[in-house]
Each structure stands twice: as structure tokens, then as C-alpha cells.
Amino acid sequence: MTENTKEYSQEELESLLKEKLKVLKELEKISKGSNYFQELSDIALIQLQLELFEESEKNYLLCLKYFQLMKDRLGQASVYGILGILFLKKKAFEKSAENYELANEINKELKLIPEQIVCLKGLGEALLSSDQLDQASDIYFRCSALASDNSDIYSILDCLEKLISIYERQGDWDVVHELYGKTLESFSELNDNQGMIIAHFNLGIINRNQENYEEALYQFKMGTNLSIESNFVELIIKGLSYVGECLFYQGKMNESKNQYISALHLAEQVKSKNAILQIQILLKSFGMSDKDIEDDLELYRKKK
């Protein structure tokens, strides 16, 4: 039950909570042993799902005292971790960070790698939410390194996503470029073509914004070619448009126009109204009339 509460509706959780509170009262008459505190932990989790934060916190603290009395380090780490989540939901970011740190210390002591990764991601989120960007980036780098050492690609990507958002906010584009390069490597390991395409496009955008058009063009073409191989039509249209834009900045007007015509042809085939409108506007900025565009489209269709 405790692992699947998110699958329950609000009404089902409220009903389940009432039932479990009755069971808890019966257990209390017998003894406050392991069964009692397992039930109390379930109740606290349901209360957390229902955003009854005060009741949930109170019950988790009772569970924590029990685990401390029993010298159950794993139980203590679990409670500290969930309290980290609870305080994060309450936007009490300092308390959230404190609890994640306490959980992580125990997980390190017990050499529980997956649990350490989860705690570090939670700690990073608490620090990021309280605008402690430098501290958050340190944690995400630590987490990424630990995830890398243990071949947890998805956690690496989670950390890189957060790091990119931090360095984008700080305007440190060299670091952002390096991080996107790492995301590209991670998506390659997962054979995730869509992820690789987006990474190529993002690398292209960074280079384009820095007026490094040759590298931008290379990244846009890589993303576009992969989109074609994967038959991701919307991404092909986007890639062709990026390539056309880059060629325009390089002063290669005819090549740029041809890329936009190619993108327009594809957009019309898949009836992407927004893409059609945007590309037509761009082509008109070249001084082309509706007739010019249609004539070039006809030539393109004949060549295909």
C-alpha cells in the first residue's frame, strides 16, 4: 500500500485513512510494537499524500523516536528522507535540506548507493528552491558523479537538467555547453534518439547565440539528420528551420531559402498549421511573394 498511494483518488485515500486509524487504535490496545509503527508509518504517508502536513510530520516523528530506540538506522534514514519530501512540499526548504542531509549521512554509513542518489537529488532541489544556486550545483555535481560511478544514467540526466537550469540562470554559457555535451553522451548510451536530437538542437542554439555559426550549423544538421533517420516529422521541420536560419546568418541566402522551402513542403504534408505560417513569414522576409513561394514549392516537389 505505502508504495502505491499515488494511484488512489482523494476520496479513496480519505477512506483508507479512516480504516487505518481504526486499525491503529486496536493495535494500541495490544502494544506499540513493530506492527503499530508500521501502521503509523502508512498513516503518515497517506496524510502526506493528502497534504495533511502537520499530522503527517507528527506521526513520522513518533516513528523516528521508535526507530532511534530500536537503533534501526535504515528506518531512521527512511523517515528523515520522507521528512525531506514533506518539508519540500511545505516550502520549508531549510528543514527539508536538514532532513535530506541526515538521511544521506545514514545512507552513506550503510553504503546504500541508490538511496544516497535520491537524497542528494532531494537536497539539491531544496537548495535550488531556496535560491542557493552555488550550493545546489555542488550537490548536483556530487550526485551526478555518484550516479556515473554506478551507471545510473537516468539520475545523471536528472542532475544535468538541474545543473543546466542553474547555469542558464547565471548566464554561464560555457558550462551550459559542456553540460549539454554530457546530456548528449548520456542519451547516446540510452539509444534515446529524441533526447539526442534535442541535445544537438540545444547545442546549436547556444552556438548560434554566441555567433559561432559553423558549429551551430553542424549541431543543427546532426539533429536534423537524426530526426530524418527516426522519422520524427515535427523535429525534422524544426531542424530544417534551424539550419535555414543559420545559413541566413552566414549570408548564404539561397541555401537558407531552400532549407525553408524543404521545411515548408514537409509542414504542408503533415498539415502543421503553425509551422506553415512561421515558415511562410520567414520566406516573405526574403522578399518572396505568395506566388514566389508556391513556384519554389512546385519546383521542389518536381525534384523530389
Side-chain angles (χ1 to χ4, degrees):
M1 197 288 308
T2 55
E3 292 180 1
N4 297 308
T5 50
K6 285 186 179 179
E7 294 176 8
Y8 289 75
S9 68
Q10 173 96 2
E11 293 76 14
E12 287 170 331
L13 282 171
E14 287 170 354
S15 173
L16 193 57
L17 179 59
K18 285 178 185 176
E19 289 174 24
K20 284 194 164 286
L21 285 168
K22 286 178 188 175
V23 172
L24 191 72
K25 279 190 177 179
E26 293 302 313
L27 285 170
E28 194 171 7
K29 292 174 186 175
I30 303 165
S31 75
K32 289 188 177 181
S34 61
N35 290 341
Y36 175 89
F37 283 99
Q38 178 58 59
E39 202 67 30
L40 187 64
S41 177
D42 285 354
I43 286 166
L45 182 58
I46 297 168
Q47 290 167 332
L48 176 56
Q49 294 292 325
L50 290 169
E51 298 190 354
L52 302 170
F53 296 128
E54 303 307 319
E55 295 95 324
S56 180
E57 180 186 347
K58 179 184 171 185
N59 287 327
Y60 272 125
L61 289 174
L62 288 171
C63 291
L64 180 62
K65 283 184 181 178
Y66 172 76
F67 289 133
Q68 287 171 335
L69 185 67
M70 300 301 293
K71 294 182 169 52
D72 182 344
R73 298 294 279 161
L74 191 59
Q76 291 171 52
S78 176
V79 173
Y80 282 131
I82 296 173
L83 285 171
I85 296 169
L86 186 150
F87 288 120
L88 196 58
K89 284 178 175 283
K90 280 181 69 176
K91 301 188 187 305
F93 302 126
E94 189 175 336
K95 279 190 172 183
S96 176
E98 286 172 7
N99 279 278
Y100 275 125
E101 284 177 334
L102 288 166
N104 196 49
E105 284 305 309
I106 297 172
N107 288 327
K108 279 170 68 178
E109 171 195 319
L110 299 176
K111 296 181 172 57
L112 301 172
I113 303 297
E115 288 79 1
Q116 286 180 58
I117 291 169
V118 169
C119 277
L120 287 171
K121 285 197 279 188
L123 176 56
E125 187 64 36
L127 293 167
L128 186 56
S129 298
S130 57
D131 285 327
Q132 298 182 64
L133 301 186
D134 289 341
Q135 295 92 323
S137 65
D138 287 345
I139 293 298
Y140 283 123
F141 274 122
R142 272 176 56 196
C143 185
S144 178
L146 186 61
S148 180
D149 289 343
N150 291 275
S151 303
D152 184 349
I153 305 294
Y154 290 104
S155 289
I156 294 170
L157 286 167
D158 286 343
C159 293
L160 290 172
E161 182 186 348
K162 296 295 184 181
L163 285 164
I164 286 166
S165 72
I166 290 169
Y167 285 98
E168 280 180 340
R169 282 167 69 178
Q170 294 178 331
D172 195 336
W173 298 109
D174 287 341
V175 176
V176 173
H177 189 282
E178 183 183 340
L179 292 169
Y180 270 125
K182 288 182 178 178
T183 65
L184 182 58
E185 290 173 17
S186 297
F187 283 127
S188 298
E189 285 188 49
L190 293 170
N191 293 315
D192 183 337
N193 284 0
Q194 189 166 354
M196 290 163 66
I197 292 160
I198 299 301
H200 278 302
F201 286 168
N202 284 328
L203 285 164
I205 290 165
I206 294 166
N207 281 288
R208 179 200 63 191
N209 292 347
Q210 294 178 325
E211 299 183 4
N212 185 359
Y213 298 122
E214 278 300 322
E215 179 62 22
L217 189 60
Y218 169 76
Q219 295 294 345
F220 288 142
K221 282 183 175 179
M222 289 290 288
T224 305
N225 291 338
L226 196 50
S227 302
I228 293 166
E229 287 173 27
S230 309
N231 200 30
F232 294 145
V233 178
E234 291 296 329
L235 290 174
I236 297 169
I237 295 168
K238 186 176 282 192
L240 290 170
S241 298
Y242 283 142
V243 170
E245 181 187 22
C246 222
L247 290 166
F248 174 81
Y249 285 130
Q250 290 180 305
K252 299 173 181 177
M253 300 304 178
N254 198 50
E255 289 179 53
S256 175
K257 182 195 73 171
N258 290 340
Q259 288 293 322
Y260 284 126
I261 290 292
S262 177
L264 181 57
H265 168 73
L266 188 55
E268 286 187 343
Q269 281 193 318
V270 298
K271 297 180 173 60
S272 177
K273 290 181 180 179
N274 285 341
I276 291 167
L277 183 61
Q278 288 169 12
I279 297 164
Q280 283 175 338
I281 290 168
L282 285 164
L283 285 167
K284 284 177 182 177
S285 73
F286 284 75
M288 296 179 75
S289 65
D290 287 332
K291 186 177 183 306
D292 293 333
I293 294 169
E294 192 53 45
D295 287 346
D296 275 20
L297 265 175
E298 191 57 37
L299 280 171
Y300 180 82
R301 293 183 193 117
K302 284 177 181 176
K303 285 178 184 176
K304 281 189 73 70

